[in-house]
Amino acid sequence: MKEKIVIFDWGGVIESHENGSKELQDAKINLIKKYSPDMKEEEILKKWSYQLENGLWISETSDWLAIKKWLQNLEEKMNISVPLEEFASSYKEAFQSISYYRDIVEYAYSIKEKCLIGLLSNLSMLDYERLTKQVDLTRFDKVYLSFELGCRKPNKEIYEYVMQDLKCDIGDILFIDDDTTNITMAKKYGWNTCQAYGYELEKIKTKVQAFLENNKKM
């Protein structure tokens, strides 16, 4: 692959995790309160975890048995009991209220005439449906989702997979992510980076324009 590619993160860049991820936190609270209405909000947020006891994250698996184990751990922490199918439906309902940056999505589509566009996200199967409502994945040239790959940012395996798949010069990659740790790891591999949130569209535009106009590593 000889073309340059701009790779967008999802959460924080496309989906809004602004204001201390308030909408994300509210989604978790509303979901648990559906089954435990008297539980305090701060307790819900403190006990919520996407990680299993063995270190696996639900964003690293496409196995429903692992998702079920995650739910069982969550049930124990929250003192609730919910069938997996019902919980998955309630999860999607609660989390679909999180807003996203339509202007970022449209901007990503708009630069396809100049370069390839990609998506690299830590995503669970429970979030996939929401992602597809926010963006048309068929319009992205490359889509790297952690639950499909079995690894997540900032682990080196996912960056190495992307590089192997792209088969391009390192200087031809620009990665946009809001998370410092994810950006730091990308820099270790020599990627061009832009640490930004979705509400910083002008910052993103400036970085992308410079990247596309410059043949050297930024």
Side-chain angles (χ1 to χ4, degrees):
M1 191 190 81
K2 297 181 179 180
E3 295 181 79
K4 291 188 173 185
I5 183 168
V6 177
I7 302 176
F8 294 81
D9 172 40
W10 176 59
V13 175
I14 292 176
E15 181 171 89
S16 173
H17 291 176
E18 198 173 343
N19 298 323
S21 301
K22 186 179 186 304
E23 291 182 40
L24 183 62
Q25 293 176 352
D26 287 345
K28 297 174 184 177
I29 290 168
N30 293 336
L31 172 60
I32 299 302
K33 277 188 170 291
K34 180 177 181 179
Y35 302 103
S36 182
D38 296 328
M39 195 169 187
K40 294 182 179 180
E41 295 183 2
E42 58 270 23
E43 185 178 3
I44 293 172
L45 296 177
K46 182 179 180 179
K47 291 183 176 181
W48 183 286
S49 174
Y50 287 109
Q51 194 172 20
L52 298 175
E53 292 178 356
N54 61 2
L56 180 73
W57 296 72
I58 62 167
S59 57
E60 290 180 292
T61 180
S62 57
D63 182 358
W64 276 108
L65 290 177
I67 299 294
K68 185 175 182 179
K69 181 173 176 57
W70 169 75
L71 174 57
Q72 290 171 342
N73 290 338
L74 198 65
E75 287 178 317
E76 292 177 6
K77 292 179 180 179
M78 305 294 183
N79 194 27
I80 60 176
S81 179
V82 193
L84 177 59
E85 185 175 346
E86 179 185 342
F87 184 86
S89 177
S90 297
Y91 180 102
K92 293 173 183 178
E93 180 181 356
F95 281 71
Q96 71 179 357
S97 63
I98 302 174
S99 60
Y100 70 100
Y101 301 104
R102 289 177 172 82
D103 52 356
I104 291 289
V105 176
E106 292 304 320
Y107 176 67
Y109 297 157
S110 75
I111 62 174
K112 276 180 63 66
E113 297 179 358
K114 303 175 181 178
C115 64
L116 301 179
I117 60 171
L119 187 71
L120 173 58
S121 175
N122 290 342
L123 192 82
S124 77
M125 292 194 297
L126 296 175
D127 298 307
Y128 181 76
E129 183 178 312
R130 187 165 89 255
L131 168 67
T132 60
K133 289 181 179 179
Q134 295 177 4
V135 301
D136 180 358
L137 292 179
T138 65
R139 298 183 69 174
F140 283 78
D141 299 288
K142 294 289 183 178
V143 177
Y144 304 106
L145 304 178
S146 60
F147 81 89
E148 294 180 331
L149 300 178
C151 52
R152 67 192 298 276
K153 300 175 293 183
N155 295 339
K156 64 179 183 179
E157 289 82 4
I158 198 165
Y159 296 89
E160 292 173 354
Y161 179 90
V162 170
M163 290 185 292
Q164 183 178 13
D165 181 67
L166 290 177
K167 296 181 175 62
C168 67
D169 293 335
I170 301 302
D172 289 337
I173 302 173
L174 173 61
F175 177 48
I176 304 169
D177 197 298
D178 63 298
D179 186 89
T180 301
T181 307
N182 296 338
I183 288 290
T184 299
M185 181 60 76
K187 286 181 177 179
K188 287 183 179 179
Y189 281 100
W191 296 13
N192 297 298
T193 62
C194 174
Q195 185 171 357
Y197 290 93
Y199 57 81
E200 298 179 292
L201 178 57
E202 292 307 314
K203 176 181 179 179
I204 292 172
K205 284 183 175 180
T206 299
K207 191 74 172 186
V208 170
Q209 182 177 352
F211 167 69
L212 295 177
E213 293 176 351
N214 195 340
N215 291 324
K216 297 179 180 179
K217 182 178 178 295
M218 296 158 52

